[in-house]
């Protein structure tokens, strides 16, 4: 046999260069506001700290109006977003007193922030970028708060055009003082200030790192609570290491959902078997594994209506809870080796920081 050979030329194909192409470069979770396990809208929010709709986004206020907070479908065109976080003022406060405030924030665990090298001479800059829209133009404040060391740095941005989506990019300098704890605690908090009384605005804005002084935190902030005509939207929030804002990192929906479940999850009891397994009667029990390991042992509450007729466990309770699971107990006593079913209700696990 004669083998025919051919000369083949080789061409080297260069892979395209993508700046900061690291996976999971966004230090935030649910920056596209796509996950809302607790529900898509909460009305009449007027005080306290709450997670009213989108997962991981904590809304906090004190006497700064009343609000409907919702997961909205109003988004910037052509950017790949389906949802935004919306605030709609339903009762105004046009004259804020000293300690009144309104802000949105997200908190990040210290063990997820070690690459910032905070508290060393090599401390990294970080960049915060987001899309924002409001009918209220003017100056707004964002704050990077070091919760471990009581330090902060604050930057101003401007909404220039009413009712228009605008992309903002803000660089925070690295801080050579105070390391973040390498643990599951809330080490960094980013605040979007929306209204602030004089206790928060009477100083000089802390545009460089300083020990926290409340008077320096929101200097120049507009009052979003001034009118029931006011609303504010945000989406596409990304916080990353470096001094350049890269394109938003769109994660698959299931990946984003599972990341949110570290802090909050809902498990339905659908004919869950709970029983006595020894030689005595008493409370029927079973172990329930969580769908994701949680930040810490969660607070568990029931929702929905549990079946309580013969053969059912009624409204269940929980005990010996850790970050991976809990024991489920029935509402009453059963006999030796007797089986009952928990059905119709939901367990809500909250391990927010």
């Amino acid at each position: 046999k004669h083998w025919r050979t051919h000369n083949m030329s080789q061409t080297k194909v260069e892979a395209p260069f993508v700046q900061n192409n690291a996976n999971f470069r966004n230090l935030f979770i649910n920056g596209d506001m796509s996950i809302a396990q607790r529900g898509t809208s909460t009305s009449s929010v007027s005080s306290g700290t709450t997670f009213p709709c989108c997962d991981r986004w904590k809304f906090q206020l004190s006497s700064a109006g009343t609000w409907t907070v919702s997961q909205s479908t109003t988004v910037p065109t052509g950017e790949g977003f389906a949802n935004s976080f919306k605030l709609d003022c339903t009762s105004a406060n046009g004259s804020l007193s000293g300690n009144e405030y309104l802000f949105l924030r997200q908190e990040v665990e210290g063990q997820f922030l070690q690459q910032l090298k905070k508290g060393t001479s090599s401390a990294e800059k970080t960049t915060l970028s987001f899309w924002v829209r409001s009918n209220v133009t003017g100056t707004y404040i964002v704050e990077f708060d070091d919760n471990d060391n009581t330090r902060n740095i604050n930057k101003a941005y401007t909404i220039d055009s009413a009712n228009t989506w605008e992309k903002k990019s803000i660089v925070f300098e690295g801080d050579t003082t105070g390391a973040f704890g390498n643990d599951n605690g809330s080490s960094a908090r980013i605040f979007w200030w929306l209204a602030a009384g004089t206790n928060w605005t009477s100083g000089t804005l802390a545009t460089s790192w300083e020990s926290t002084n409340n008077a320096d935190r929101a200097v120049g902030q507009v009052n979003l609570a001034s009118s029931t005509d006011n609303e504010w939207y945000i989406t596409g929030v990304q916080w990353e290491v470096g001094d350049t804002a890269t394109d938003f990192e769109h994660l698959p929906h299931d990946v984003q959902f599972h990341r949110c479940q570290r802090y909050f999850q809902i498990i339905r009891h659908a004919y869950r078997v709970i029983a006595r397994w020894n030689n005595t009667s008493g409370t029927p029990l079973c172990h329930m594994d969580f769908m994701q390991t949680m930040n810490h042992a969660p607070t568990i509450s029931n929702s929905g209506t549990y079946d309580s007729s013969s053969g059912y466990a009624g409204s269940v309770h929980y005990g010996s809870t850790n970050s991976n699971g809990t024991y489920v107990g029935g509402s009453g006593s059963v006999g030796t080796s007797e089986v009952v079913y928990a059905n119709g209700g939901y367990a809500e696990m909250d391990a927010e920081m």
Side-chain angles (χ1 to χ4, degrees):
K1 291 183 178 180
H2 299 282
W3 297 96
R4 180 175 297 172
T5 61
H6 298 272
N7 292 326
M8 300 181 67
S9 61
Q10 293 183 335
T11 303
K12 183 178 180 181
V13 179
E14 298 287 349
F17 173 74
V18 180
Q19 185 180 24
N20 196 8
N21 196 27
N23 292 327
F24 298 102
R25 65 183 180 273
N26 192 353
L27 299 170
F28 280 153
I29 296 173
N30 202 28
D32 61 359
M33 312 299 173
S34 61
I35 310 299
Q37 295 184 79
R38 297 171 178 87
T40 59
S41 183
T42 302
S43 60
S44 302
V45 182
S46 60
S47 64
T49 302
T50 181
F51 292 86
C53 57
C54 302
D55 281 46
R56 301 295 298 122
W57 292 98
K58 184 181 292 187
F59 183 55
Q60 189 167 344
L61 72 162
S62 175
S63 302
T66 302
W67 301 82
T68 295
V69 187
S70 62
Q71 181 192 48
S72 173
T73 56
T74 300
V75 294
T77 302
E79 298 297 331
F81 302 113
N83 299 108
S84 63
F85 187 106
K86 178 185 178 183
L87 297 176
D88 181 19
C89 184
T90 57
S91 178
N93 180 351
S95 180
L96 297 169
S97 64
N99 197 43
E100 293 172 346
Y101 58 83
L102 172 72
F103 52 71
L104 180 69
R105 77 180 193 226
Q106 186 167 144
E107 305 181 21
V108 184
E109 298 177 43
Q111 62 190 351
F112 299 155
L113 297 170
Q114 296 305 301
Q115 69 271 40
L116 270 62
K117 306 169 193 171
K118 193 175 180 301
T120 75
S121 59
S122 302
E124 298 278 0
K125 294 179 179 180
T126 59
T127 299
L128 178 69
S129 56
F130 53 94
W131 287 88
V132 66
R133 168 179 169 156
S134 178
N135 64 302
V136 181
T137 59
T139 299
Y140 291 75
I141 305 299
V142 289
E143 176 181 5
F144 177 178
D145 172 64
D146 172 0
N147 195 32
D148 287 338
N149 301 286
T150 321
R151 292 174 60 78
N152 63 283
I153 183 172
N154 301 63
K155 301 288 185 177
Y157 70 93
T158 302
I159 292 182
D160 299 299
S161 300
N163 303 314
T164 303
W165 282 105
E166 298 174 354
K167 186 175 183 180
K168 306 300 176 181
S169 178
I170 295 164
V171 176
F172 295 113
E173 290 74 20
D175 186 17
T176 59
T177 300
F180 286 138
N182 188 19
D183 54 33
N184 66 340
S186 170
S187 289
R189 304 184 295 185
I190 304 294
F191 293 77
W192 281 260
W193 285 88
L194 300 168
T198 55
N199 286 15
W200 317 97
T201 62
S202 59
T204 301
L205 190 67
T207 56
S208 300
W209 282 100
E210 68 174 31
S211 296
T212 300
N213 176 14
N214 283 340
D216 298 343
R217 295 177 66 185
V219 180
Q221 171 67 45
V222 302
N223 180 11
L224 189 68
S226 62
S227 169
T228 55
D229 293 331
N230 295 348
E231 57 187 22
W232 185 85
Y233 302 80
I234 189 170
T235 194
V237 185
Q238 183 154 292
W239 185 35
E240 57 195 306
V241 178
D243 59 5
T244 303
T246 65
D247 290 342
F248 184 82
E249 182 181 32
H250 290 276
L251 296 179
H253 184 84
D254 58 336
V255 173
Q256 198 76 274
F257 180 72
H258 292 322
R259 297 185 80 196
C260 290
Q261 285 183 316
R262 177 167 172 78
Y263 307 93
F264 182 83
Q265 55 185 267
I266 300 173
I267 297 179
R268 179 186 179 192
H269 294 300
Y271 294 97
R272 183 179 300 280
V273 175
I274 55 178
R276 294 300 294 179
W277 63 93
N278 55 22
N279 294 323
T280 61
S281 61
T283 300
L285 298 170
C286 73
H287 190 268
M288 180 176 74
D289 293 325
F290 299 146
M291 291 181 284
Q292 297 288 330
T293 297
M294 304 196 76
N295 173 266
H296 58 271
T299 299
I300 308 178
S301 59
N302 282 321
S303 63
T305 301
Y306 285 86
D307 292 332
S308 58
S309 58
S310 177
Y312 292 103
S315 183
V316 299
H317 61 272
Y318 309 93
S320 300
T321 303
N322 58 39
S323 61
N324 293 304
T326 187
Y327 280 95
V328 180
S331 61
S333 179
V334 299
T336 301
S337 301
E338 185 176 350
V339 173
V340 291
Y341 299 93
N343 187 60
Y346 298 80
E348 297 184 354
M349 279 66 66
D350 188 332
E352 296 284 0
M353 295 181 289

